[in-house]
Amino acid sequence: MTDAVIPLLDLRKVGRVPAVPAALPSSVTPAGPRLDARGRPLRDLRISVTDRCNFRCNYCMPKEVFDKHYQFLPHRDLLSFEEITRLAAIFAGLGVQKLRLTGGEPLLRRNIESLIAQLAVLRTPEGDPLDLTLTTNGSLLARKAQALKDAGLQRITVSLDAMDDAIFRRMNDVDFPVADVLHGIETALAVGLAPVKVNMVVKRGTNDDQILPMARHFRGTGVTLRFIEYMDVGTSNGWRMDEVLPSSDVLARLRDAMDLVPLAPSAQGETATRWGYADGSGEIGLISSVTQAFCGDCNRARLSTEGQLYTCLFASEGHDLRGLLRGQGEWPARSDEEISAALGALWGRRADRYSELRASLPASEAGGARRVEMHYIGG
Ligand code: SAM
Ligand code: SF4
Ligand code: SF4
C-alpha cells in the first residue's frame, strides 16, 4: 500500500499531434515567417529542458504538491538535445529569432553546455545567429557560468526575490541563501554573460518590502532588475488577486525614492516596460502580466520538457511535437519539411489572449481552471 497521490488527469499527457498537411509543395522553399490569427509573428521560443528543480518557490512548485511522491518525467520522455536542436532549427525557419532555455531549473540538466553549443550554431534564414539566453535560479551559476559562456550562451536572466536572507530562504523553501545567488550573478558578469537581468516576482505581503532594497543593490551594477507581477499560472500555487502588487504600485514606490524616466521599448513584443535612473546609473523593468495584458503582440511559443508545444502560458493543452519527431502509433516519424508545415499551420490558427480575457472570465476559470504548470513549460 502506498500513500502516493495519483492525479485524476495528468495534464502533461493530453496533447494533440499537430496535423501534417497531406501534400507538401514539390520544391521545399524556406519556411518563412508566419503570422497567427491575430497577425502576431512567431519570434520567441522558450524551451523547458527539465521539469525538476532544487527550489520549491511557493508561487511555482509549492512543497505540498511537489513533494517526494510527485512523479517527475522519466528521462526517456524528455526531448534529447538533438531533438531540441532539430526543432529549434525548424522554428528558426518559421521566424523565431530568440531562444530561451528554462525549466524547472535548466542548470540541473546534465551537460546543458552541450545543448547550448548545438543551439549556438543555428542561424536564421538571413544567416544571423539566434539570440540565445537562459533563465536560472542562480544556485549553480557560479560553478557553471564560464562553461555556459564558452559554449556560446550570450546572456542570462537570474531569478531573485529578495535581498533579505530570511525572506529569500522562506520563498525558495529549501533554505537557499541570497549570498550564493549574488555570487552566481557576479560570476556571470565577470565571464561576460551580458547583459545580466534579474527577475523578482513580487508578492504583496511576502516580499514587497524588498522592492527598494533590490533596486538599490542592483543600481549602478549593469544588471537590469525586472519586477514581475505574481501570476495565476498553473493550478498549484493557490493564486489570489489580493497577493498581486500591481506594477503601477511598484513604480510609485520606486519613484518616491528615486528619480526615474521612461525609456522606449527595446523591441516589439518586449514584455517589460522600461524605466531608467535619471542619472544614467541603469534601468529597471516592470512586467505587468496580470494588470496590463500584453497579448496584443505576444510572439512567444513554449516547448515543454517532453516536447509539447504551448502557444500560450495559460493553455491547458499542448501539441505533441515529440510524436512528430519520433512517430506515434501508426504514424511514422516526420521530415523537417512536414514538421515545419504542421507548425506553420498551427501558428496560423493561434488566437490565444488569456491575459486580455482574464478580467472577464468567471472566477472558476480566472485563477482556478486546469492549466499547465510553470515549471513544466517554463517561464
Ligand atoms: N528555475 C528557473 C528560475 O527560477 O529562474 C527557470 C524557470 S522559472 C519557472 C522562470 C521564471 O518564472 C522565474 O523568473 C520565476 O520567478 C517565474 N515564475 C514562476 N512562477 C511564477 C508566478 N506564479 N508568477 C510570476 N512569475 C513566476
Ligand atoms: Fe524552481 Fe524556478 Fe519554479 Fe523557483 S521559479 S521553483 S527556481 S522552477
Ligand atoms: Fe501571450 Fe498567452 Fe501571456 Fe497573452 S496570456 S501574453 S497570449 S502567453
Side-chain angles (χ1 to χ4, degrees), residues 9 40 45 67 122 135 163 171 182 184 192 214 219 233-234 238 241-242 259-260 290 296 313-315 323 361:
L9 172 62
R40 299 168 294 188
L45 180 66
D67 60 8
L122 297 181
T135 303
M163 291 305 300
M171 287 184 80
L182 292 177
M214 288 282 287
R219 182 173 184 173
V233 69
M241 186 67 201
D242 60 10
D259 255 353
L260 287 166
V290 178
L313 186 51
F314 297 92
L361 290 174

Side-chain angles (χ1 to χ4, degrees), residues 52-323:
R52 292 163 199 259
C53 188
N54 54 344
F55 282 14
R56 285 293 176 273
C57 306
N58 42 34
Y59 52 71
C60 178
M61 296 178 75
K63 243 180 194 164
E64 314 77 67
V65 178
F66 297 91
D67 60 8
K68 64 181 192 311
H69 301 301
Y70 187 83
Q71 288 185 1
F72 291 97
L73 296 167
H75 193 261
R76 65 175 180 280
D77 283 354
L78 311 191
L79 290 186
S80 69
F81 290 168
E82 289 67 28
E83 288 172 326
I84 291 174
T85 307
R86 188 175 158 207
L87 284 177
I90 295 171
F91 274 101
L94 291 166
V96 162
Q97 297 169 346
K98 177 170 159 188
L99 301 175
R100 176 178 296 279
L101 300 182
T102 176
E105 174 44 44
L107 299 188
L108 287 180
R109 178 91 184 245
R110 196 171 304 159
N111 294 330
I112 185 79
E113 308 83 288
S114 145
L115 172 63
I116 290 168
Q118 292 178 46
L119 296 173
V121 296
L122 297 181
R123 294 290 177 268
T124 65
E126 295 74 39
D128 300 319
L130 302 179
D131 178 11
L132 182 57
T133 183
L134 178 149
T135 303
T136 173
N137 62 26
S139 57
L140 301 169
L141 189 53
R143 232 178 296 164
K144 292 231 167 199
Q146 186 68 57
L148 298 173
K149 173 73 181 169
D150 293 346
L153 190 71
Q154 293 150 1
R155 55 196 187 85
I156 200 156
T157 301
V158 183
S159 304
L160 178 64
D161 296 329
M163 291 305 300
D164 180 279
D165 201 48
I167 296 177
F168 183 61
R169 285 176 191 256
R170 219 167 26 244
M171 287 184 80
N172 64 54
D173 216 3
V174 293
D175 214 26
F176 198 86
V178 171
D180 289 15
V181 179
L182 292 177
H183 183 41
I185 293 171
E186 282 148 21
T187 314
L189 286 167
V191 304
L193 284 169
V196 174
K197 291 182 185 166
V198 167
N199 280 354
M200 170 181 176
V201 175
V202 181
K203 265 185 100 173
R204 192 200 291 271
T206 300
N207 66 338
D208 57 325
D209 62 350
Q210 295 299 298
I211 293 169
L212 286 176
M214 288 282 287
R216 289 194 182 109
H217 179 87
F218 289 110
R219 182 173 184 173
T221 62
V223 170
T224 299
L225 174 62
R226 302 182 326 158
F227 301 93
I228 305 183
E229 287 177 352
Y230 170 42
M231 280 189 287
D232 50 336
V233 69
T235 50
S236 306
N237 62 13
W239 181 86
R240 296 199 328 251
M241 186 67 201
D242 60 10
E243 288 184 313
V244 178
L245 185 75
S247 290
S248 52
D249 290 22
V250 174
L251 183 62
R253 290 191 197 186
L254 290 167
R255 294 189 84 179
D256 274 349
M258 299 161 169
D259 255 353
L260 287 166
V261 290
L263 300 176
S266 55
Q268 210 206 348
E270 162 80 64
T271 49
T273 311
R274 300 168 60 217
W275 289 78
Y277 295 110
D279 63 1
S281 57
E283 68 176 82
I284 57 121
L286 297 159
I287 303 184
S288 320
S289 347
V290 178
T291 60
Q292 281 168 40
F294 39 75
C295 303
D297 46 22
C298 176
N299 53 22
R300 294 176 289 285
R302 293 175 162 87
L303 183 61
S304 81
T305 317
E306 56 178 346
Q308 298 272 328
L309 186 77
Y310 289 84
T311 55
C312 176
L313 186 51
F314 297 92
S316 55
E317 201 179 52
H319 302 268
D320 184 12
L321 304 192
R322 195 186 62 194

